């Protein structure tokens, strides 16, 4: 009997030792990296560029940035764009996601004056990518609103959708012959909640009661206007696609109680549902549960009507279905509880409205950013949830990445652990039937990390911000990412044998 058991044990052990069937990313899966204009470009007033809300805020209130820095020069991609494309070739990227600076193209925000020098910069950047077969994926808005539009109320002005559509038409016209993947907005939550409803992004408006909700409505209508402009007037000749990128971190219930599940759903709606539901759901408009909660609290607080606006039936129809894909920026996860781990919030505000508690296990690996921990399976959880909720959409992971401290060296093992875990989670989602078409690592290189300035680094390439040349040097993770792209397989044991970069033939 003992021999028999030993024998069975041996068989099991040797099965486990056999390599699992190799899990591959499809050949047409788009692997890339992502960046954003204000975070990398510099040239803040170069060649006719107009002032934007980050220029204004960092110049007039430098203390709001952790190291008192700004994006005036940043990684100086305005002058280093050829080196940027060389790095893309070194990594063997299929695609590169970057954003356009609205005020570099339209200095006042309006389309009556186009800054040709700004257009030429993006023409050169795009042409250099195309020359080496790298697919550009372009975000129209990554948080740098022209200051003049902010002076008119920015996203809170009901005219905002028209301004955005006019700008979108200019860029489709100028670059749509070469750009086939458009993203209207990057992370509505960070624009609306952090910028209008709170103080952690420009324009730090701090209108806690209504800022987030009115911004959200104008933003999704603006998105739909740009999408429709593309579909009606450009798509037939340009053959591209247009979507939106929403930050979808995972919020799961702390326990399996109905109360915790409801609390988690409220938090998901506050985080991304108020932007995704109007566009991707069958019922349209803001999600039901959060709308009810805000309406009830508003009346109790003495407001004459809900602090969350409604969509008319016409507006609902206008916005519904206005996206060819769902871009997901994903970084981490949090457990949500109906009663435990609660904090005091400013009232009224979005977080006070939903009033739920949040918890993150202390054993999760921590990055240099307080909010960012390695949360197992969270990409899989987010994507399968969205796939079921919004019925078989097409997805791109448009951002995912890990931060380290400026003083840490180029051997970034934690970043490698994070990327391998995240990419395995993407494969799990693909195997579960989710249509994921691509993955963009954040970021190609170190850059201006908003309120954290240069104190947190997300790059596969290190950037030396003390050097006027802004020299870029690959971290170890760059070599690991390169190998995953080349083989389409995640080898947990791969070790680069050199830390000197090269360009493979064909790139
Ligand atoms: C998402 C934002 O889109 C990007 O600008 C930011 O740098 C990363 N998250 C990291 O915080």
């Amino acid at each position: 009997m003992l021999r028999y058991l030993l024998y069975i044990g041996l068989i099991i052990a040797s099965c486990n030792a056999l390599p699992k069937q190799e899990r591959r990313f499809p050949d047409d899966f788009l692997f890339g990296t992502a960046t954003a204009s204000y975070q990398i470009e510099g040239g803040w007033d170069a060649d006719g560029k107009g002032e934007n809300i980050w220029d204004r805020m960092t110049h007039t209130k430098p203390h709001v940035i952790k190291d008192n820095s700004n994006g005036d020069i940043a990684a100086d991609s305005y002058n280093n764009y050829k080196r940027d494309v060389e790095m893309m070739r070194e990594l063997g990227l299929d695609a590169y996601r970057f954003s356009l600076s609205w005020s570099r193209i339209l200095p006042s925000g309006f389309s009556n004056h186009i800054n040709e020098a700004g257009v030429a910069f993006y023409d050169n950047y795009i042409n250099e990518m195309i020359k080496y077969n790298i697919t550009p994926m372009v975000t129209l808005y990554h948080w740098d609103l022209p200051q003049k539009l902010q002076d008119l109320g920015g996203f809170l002005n009901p005219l905002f959708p028209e301004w955005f559509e006019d700008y979108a038409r200019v860029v489709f016209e100028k670059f749509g012959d070469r750009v086939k993947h458009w993203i209207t907005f990057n992370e509505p939550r960070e624009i609306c909640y952090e910028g209008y409803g709170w103080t952690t992004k420009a324009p730090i408006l701090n209108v806690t009661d209504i800022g987030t909700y009115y911004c959200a409505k104008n933003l999704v209508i603006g998105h739909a206007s740009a999408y429709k402009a593309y579909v009606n007037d450009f798509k037939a000749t340009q053959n591209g696609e247009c979507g939106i990128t929403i930050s979808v971190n995972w919020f799961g219930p702390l326990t399996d109680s109905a109360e915790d599940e409801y609390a988690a759903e409220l938090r998901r709606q506050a985080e991304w549902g108020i932007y995704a539901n109007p566009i991707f759901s069958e019922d349209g408009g803001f999600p039901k549960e959060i709308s009810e909660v805000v309406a009830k609290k508003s009346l109790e607080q003495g407001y004459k009507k809900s602090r969350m606006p409604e969509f008319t039936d016409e507006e609902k129809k206008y916005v519904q279905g206005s996206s060819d894909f769902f871009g997901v920026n994903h970084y981490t996860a949090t457990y949500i509880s109906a009663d435990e781990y609660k904090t005091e919030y400013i009232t009224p505000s979005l977080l006070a409205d939903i009033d739920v508690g949040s918890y993150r296990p202390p054993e999760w690996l921590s990055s240099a950013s307080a909010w960012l921990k390695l949360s197992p399976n969270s990409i899989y959880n987010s994507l399968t949830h969205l796939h079921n909720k919004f019925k078989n959409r097409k997805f791109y992971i448009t951002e995912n990445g890990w931060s380290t401290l400026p003083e840490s060296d180029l051997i970034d093992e934690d970043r490698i652990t994070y990327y391998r875990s995240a990419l395995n989670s993407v494969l799990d989602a693909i195997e579960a039937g989710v249509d994921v078409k691509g993955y963009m690592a954040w970021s190609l290189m170190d850059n201006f990390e908003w309120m954290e300035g240069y104190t947190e680094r997300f790059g596969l390439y290190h950037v030396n911000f003390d050097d006027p040349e802004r020299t870029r040097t690959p971290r170890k993770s760059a070599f690991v990412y390169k190998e995953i792209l080349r083989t389409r397989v995640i080898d947990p044991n791969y070790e680069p044998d050199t830390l000197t970069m090269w360009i493979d033939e064909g790139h």
Side-chain angles (χ1 to χ4, degrees):
M1 182 64 181
L2 188 62
R3 267 177 61 183
Y4 176 73
L5 281 179
L6 262 176
Y7 180 65
I8 299 277
L10 264 178
I11 291 182
I12 294 174
S14 63
C15 281
N16 280 343
L18 284 177
K20 269 212 252 159
Q21 212 196 346
E22 228 173 32
R23 307 204 305 162
R24 300 180 69 85
F25 287 94
D27 286 338
D28 63 353
F29 189 84
L30 281 186
F31 268 117
T33 60
T35 60
S37 46
Y38 187 76
Q39 295 181 271
I40 63 162
E41 282 177 7
W44 80 275
D45 62 350
D47 307 326
K49 175 181 163 291
E51 187 188 23
N52 67 41
I53 56 176
W54 281 86
D55 298 324
R56 174 68 65 90
M57 184 184 77
T58 56
H59 293 160
T60 57
K61 301 189 179 93
H63 58 275
V64 301
I65 308 294
K66 193 165 179 182
D67 55 3
N68 288 290
S69 67
N70 56 49
D72 286 3
I73 304 177
D76 200 15
S77 284
Y78 193 66
N79 293 305
N80 287 318
Y81 75 91
K82 286 202 172 169
R83 171 68 181 127
D84 290 0
V85 177
E86 188 176 68
M87 284 141 61
M88 299 172 207
R89 295 168 62 207
E90 290 173 351
L91 292 171
L93 301 190
D94 306 313
Y96 177 60
R97 173 177 178 241
F98 65 103
S99 80
L100 305 175
S101 157
W102 188 338
S103 66
R104 194 181 292 291
I105 297 173
L106 305 178
S108 70
F110 293 113
S111 57
N112 60 319
H113 168 56
I114 299 178
N115 177 30
E116 292 303 338
V119 172
F121 166 65
Y122 293 117
D123 269 334
N124 292 338
Y125 212 3
I126 293 167
N127 291 344
E128 187 76 2
M129 283 169 223
I130 303 267
K131 184 163 146 193
Y132 296 107
N133 232 341
I134 295 158
T135 302
M137 181 179 265
V138 174
T139 310
L140 270 63
Y141 185 79
H142 200 127
W143 307 354
D144 41 0
L145 192 72
Q147 181 60 40
K148 182 165 176 193
L149 302 185
Q150 190 61 52
D151 295 342
L152 299 171
F155 285 76
L156 298 184
N157 189 321
L159 293 175
F160 177 81
E162 290 177 30
W163 305 335
F164 186 66
E165 180 188 332
D166 290 348
Y167 161 57
R169 284 181 180 279
V170 171
V171 307
F172 296 150
E173 187 100 50
K174 295 279 179 197
F175 310 116
D177 55 337
R178 288 151 292 158
V179 174
K180 306 299 165 192
H181 305 275
W182 295 104
I183 294 167
T184 54
F185 291 103
N186 177 71
E187 297 196 347
R189 172 194 174 273
E190 282 60 21
I191 299 167
C192 292
Y193 167 65
E194 297 201 29
Y196 286 79
W198 195 227
T199 55
T200 42
K201 294 281 179 302
I204 51 173
L205 228 53
N206 207 15
V207 184
T208 65
D209 53 354
I210 61 161
T212 308
Y213 305 136
Y214 278 83
C215 169
K217 183 174 172 187
N218 289 338
L219 184 150
V220 294
I221 293 178
H223 157 80
S225 301
Y227 176 81
K228 282 175 200 297
Y230 189 69
V231 168
N232 295 335
D233 298 331
F234 298 92
K235 199 168 183 160
T237 50
Q238 298 185 348
N239 291 315
E241 56 178 1
C242 179
I244 186 167
T245 278
I246 299 180
S247 43
V248 181
N249 287 321
W250 180 241
F251 295 91
L254 183 66
T255 71
D256 55 13
S257 73
E259 291 76 16
D260 283 359
E261 180 43 55
Y262 174 74
E265 177 57 22
L266 271 186
R267 180 68 188 261
R268 292 193 290 260
Q269 294 182 2
E271 290 278 326
W272 48 262
I274 54 176
Y275 316 101
N277 211 72
I279 300 169
F280 295 103
S281 76
E282 276 165 9
D283 48 350
F286 286 136
K288 183 166 158 286
E289 288 79 2
I290 194 167
S291 303
E292 286 171 0
V293 167
V294 180
K296 182 164 173 281
K297 292 207 172 167
S298 303
L299 296 183
E300 286 166 9
Q301 288 157 350
Y303 291 84
K304 290 276 178 280
K305 60 176 187 174
S306 177
R307 288 180 279 102
M308 181 179 273
E310 287 183 357
F311 286 74
T312 62
D313 286 346
E314 202 186 331
E315 287 168 339
K316 278 187 190 169
K317 279 212 196 81
Y318 185 73
V319 173
Q320 271 175 306
S322 61
S323 201
D324 297 328
F325 59 85
F326 194 133
V328 169
N329 283 1
H330 178 93
Y331 285 87
T332 194
T334 302
Y335 288 116
I336 300 299
S337 164
D339 311 304
E340 288 180 75
Y341 303 109
K342 285 195 174 178
T343 326
E344 283 283 311
Y345 296 112
I346 289 175
T347 307
S349 70
L350 173 90
L351 290 181
D353 283 340
I354 60 169
D355 190 28
V356 301
S358 53
Y359 171 77
R360 275 147 15 117
E363 64 274 16
W364 283 356
L365 186 65
S366 295
S367 70
S369 315
W371 55 273
L372 174 53
K373 286 169 184 289
L374 193 166
S375 47
N377 304 323
S378 60
I379 292 193
Y380 172 84
N381 289 336
S382 305
L383 287 176
T384 50
H385 178 89
L386 294 174
H387 167 80
N388 293 330
K389 196 173 182 79
F390 298 130
K391 309 276 180 294
N392 305 326
R393 300 285 167 173
K394 163 166 148 185
F395 295 94
Y396 291 97
I397 300 287
T398 43
E399 273 183 43
N400 178 242
W402 186 254
S403 61
T404 46
L405 293 168
E407 56 274 20
S408 58
D409 65 17
L410 296 173
I411 311 296
D412 50 348
E413 298 297 347
D414 285 359
R415 183 173 285 108
I416 294 170
T417 304
Y418 179 88
Y419 274 125
R420 283 185 176 142
S421 156
L423 285 166
N424 270 306
S425 201
V426 174
L427 282 175
D428 291 341
I430 294 176
E431 281 173 9
V434 184
D435 185 17
V436 193
K437 292 288 187 212
Y439 174 95
M440 307 293 133
W442 184 272
S443 180
L444 175 61
M445 64 191 128
D446 291 345
N447 54 53
F448 177 78
E449 178 56 13
W450 309 112
M451 297 317 220
E452 310 307 321
Y454 299 97
T455 66
E456 296 175 8
R457 306 293 180 88
F458 278 87
L460 292 169
Y461 281 73
H462 169 270
V463 175
N464 182 353
F465 293 101
D466 298 326
D467 172 0
E469 304 291 314
R470 297 298 193 268
T471 308
R472 290 115 155 93
T473 313
R475 294 197 166 93
K476 185 176 171 187
S477 55
F479 295 86
V480 172
Y481 194 53
K482 177 182 171 112
E483 182 66 1
I484 294 172
L485 271 56
R486 190 183 71 79
T487 59
R488 309 262 137 186
V489 168
I490 308 162
D491 174 354
N493 302 313
Y494 173 75
E495 280 290 329
D497 45 23
T498 163
L499 291 188
T500 307
M501 257 302 171
W502 69 98
I503 295 177
D504 287 327
E505 258 175 68
H507 265 284

